Amino acid sequence: MKIFCRLCNEMKEFRESLSKKQIRVLKFIIDFKAEHGQIPTIREMKEGLNYKSNSIVHHHIDILVYKQYLARKPYCARSLVILKEIL
């Protein structure tokens, strides 16, 4: 999988695989930010991805933070920062 790393501004081949659902969540966040100019809220992600619970969105975000695709800014609304984009 090729990704664009915003930290080093380079295209990289990345071997760590994401599940289809994690890719879907990450693409939703990237597309939403491109369209609206801001990161979606948990509720907007839940509705946009047709999930029934906020906790599953939190679960996928936690994994994406752990795998360093996203980061969180403390004490901030819409606190996610995109570190790596899937191309």
Side-chain angles (χ1 to χ4, degrees), residues 5-6 10 18 26-27 38 46 52 54-55 60 70 75:
C5 180
R6 289 185 175 215
E10 295 179 359
L18 295 175
L26 184 59
K27 282 192 166 287
Q38 61 186 1
K46 179 188 89 166
K52 296 183 188 286
N54 290 345
S55 65
H60 290 305
L70 299 174
Y75 311 111

Side-chain angles (χ1 to χ4, degrees), residues 22-33:
Q22 292 163 4
I23 291 171
R24 185 172 170 228
V25 170
L26 184 59
K27 282 192 166 287
F28 180 82
I29 293 169
I30 292 167
D31 293 344
F32 190 95
K33 184 173 183 194

Side-chain angles (χ1 to χ4, degrees), residues 7 25 30 32 38 40 42 46 53 55 61 76-77 80 82-83:
L7 298 175
V25 170
I30 292 167
F32 190 95
Q38 61 186 1
I42 298 296
K46 179 188 89 166
S53 168
S55 65
I61 288 173
C76 182
L80 294 175
I82 301 167
L83 299 177

Side-chain angles (χ1 to χ4, degrees), residues 2 5 7 11 16 18 26 31 34 36 43-44 49 51-52 55-58 60 69 73 76-77 79-80 84 87:
K2 287 193 175 190
C5 180
L7 298 175
M11 289 292 298
E16 185 175 335
L18 295 175
L26 184 59
D31 293 344
H36 298 283
R43 182 172 287 163
E44 289 169 337
L49 296 166
Y51 287 140
K52 296 183 188 286
S55 65
I56 192 66
V57 176
H58 281 289
H60 290 305
Y69 281 86
K73 291 186 284 187
C76 182
S79 66
L80 294 175
K84 300 174 186 172
L87 300 176

